[in-house]
DNA sequence: ACAATCTGGTCTCTTCATGCAACTGTATTT
DNA sequence: AAATACAGTTGCATGAAGAGACCAGATTGT
């Protein structure tokens, strides 16, 4: 059985758990592109129906999508992004920009994220300090937060000893 | 068989392909936390050895990690993030912040991404215009880029017609 | 009115990935 | 020299994923 991350005291793991699996982010990508109906997702992704059914249900359960009746009798559903789902735009953009940089390369981007008004591509996502300064990976460190549990704290302790070893 | 995205003309799909699967991002999370050896990852993730072996190999093949001989005869390996791997910090942070916001909630974060010097948590990742203005999801649109292929272009055309239907 | 088609699934079957546990061959430590 | 750590490999049982057929209700075309 696939390992579940339901109980882990880690936002990364829990976010992954909510998203479900690889397909899911592509479904969300399609939702951002404008897909709303079952058939939209199906044709865009060439995904089999049973898997799509399961994924959509998973996303609805995790409040990333909601269903809205589009036909008068409920046989036409529309799937829409919830606020929680829309907030994944940053994540999808991060993924897209990484692929742009390292797979396709500058000037070869298949799709650009643009500002609606001007049509100009958005800037590169950066990790910034509160005051707006950009921070590189080497300027960052991870620390236990207010919600850290025993296990997490012990992990950080162990890291302090990490350089003892050869 | 799991679907492969090797040939897709989409940075999101290709990035997902390079990463491999869910485990992989947790491996990368551990690498950012300081894990370097096989046993580090194994104990932190409680992952089975054969799967870990496969994932690490996948990441090395996709140039996210490299191996460095730590023992004199190559039996002690260290896995290190390549530049390409370090550039995933934004992605991991996006995922972590999403989980912080929607799973744990403010004040309950298990782990914080902080600036090394000040120890203060970094700001929230935002999609920004070139000039630095923050953009919300509704201010964004996707457009075909210079690397768009026929299929991608046709997808965007179809989107123009999307509102015709009921 | 009636057939054809669309929509959003469910069901079955096969294949593959996962997790577990045992085993292996070097290194290092004592 | 023996024990233990390291970084895997191998074999096996199980469950999940994917392909494709099938289906009921709604809608559309003629």
């Amino acid at each position: 059985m696939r390992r579940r991350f339901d109980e882990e005291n880690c936002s990364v793991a829990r976010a992954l758990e909510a998203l479900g699996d690889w397909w899911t982010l592509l479904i969300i990508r399609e939702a951002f592109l404008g897909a709303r109906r079952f058939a939209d997702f199906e044709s865009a992704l060439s995904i089999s129906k049973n898997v799509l059914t399961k994924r959509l249900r998973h996303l609805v359960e995790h409040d990333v999508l909601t269903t809205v009746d589009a036909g008068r009798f409920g046989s036409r559903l529309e799937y829409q992004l919830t606020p929680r789902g829309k907030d994944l735009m940053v994540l999808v953009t991060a993924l897209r920009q990484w692929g742009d940089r390292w797979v396709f390369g500058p000037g070869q981007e298949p799709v650009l994220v643009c500002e609606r008004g001007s049509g100009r591509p958005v800037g590169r996502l950066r990790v910034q300090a509160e005051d707006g300064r950009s921070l590189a990976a080497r300027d960052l460190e991870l620390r236990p937060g207010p919600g850290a549990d025993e296990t997490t704290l012990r992990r950080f302790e162990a890291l302090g000893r990490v350089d003892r070893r050869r």
Side-chain angles (χ1 to χ4, degrees), chain A:
Chain A
M1 227 234 294
R2 153 164 294 162
R3 172 76 166 286
R4 297 269 82 121
F5 306 119
D6 285 324
E7 303 300 329
E8 297 224 8
N9 187 231
C10 169
S11 297
V12 178
R14 297 289 287 275
L16 292 174
E17 184 63 36
L19 296 177
D21 81 350
W22 284 150
W23 278 116
T24 313
L25 272 174
L26 296 183
I27 289 172
I28 291 162
R29 175 195 75 182
E30 290 305 314
F32 280 120
L33 262 165
R36 289 174 311 199
R37 295 185 316 180
F38 189 93
D40 291 340
F41 295 103
E42 192 190 357
S43 70
L45 298 171
S46 311
I47 185 177
S48 54
K49 287 157 170 281
N50 54 355
V51 178
L52 180 56
T53 300
K54 210 179 293 177
R55 293 290 168 276
L56 289 172
R57 194 161 294 159
H58 182 92
L59 289 173
V60 169
E61 275 164 15
H62 285 78
D63 195 29
V64 172
L65 298 176
T66 32
T67 48
V68 181
D69 285 2
R72 284 203 314 285
F73 303 102
S75 168
R76 302 254 166 140
L77 292 182
E78 279 192 12
Y79 293 89
Q80 297 185 351
L81 288 161
T82 61
R84 188 176 171 139
K86 285 182 188 150
D87 194 33
L88 287 167
M89 191 57 173
V90 175
L91 177 66
V92 174
T93 302
L95 207 48
R96 188 186 296 285
Q97 289 189 351
W98 190 86
D100 285 344
R101 278 200 291 282
W102 296 101
V103 178
F104 290 97
Q108 306 294 320
E109 300 88 354
V111 172
L112 296 170
V113 183
C114 298
E115 185 179 1
R116 193 179 290 284
S118 67
R120 314 250 305 257
V122 302
R124 176 169 172 164
L125 283 172
R126 290 164 302 153
V127 180
Q128 295 170 307
E130 291 278 4
D131 60 22
R133 278 174 300 115
S134 282
L135 302 172
R138 68 177 163 285
D139 301 324
L140 301 174
E141 64 179 353
L142 299 171
R143 302 187 160 206
D149 65 5
E150 269 310 307
T151 312
T152 305
L153 290 174
R154 245 178 289 122
R155 297 276 330 278
F156 274 95
E157 261 182 62
L159 283 175
R161 297 195 302 269
V162 91
D163 286 322
R164 263 199 319 105
R165 81 185 172 221
R166 297 259 300 160

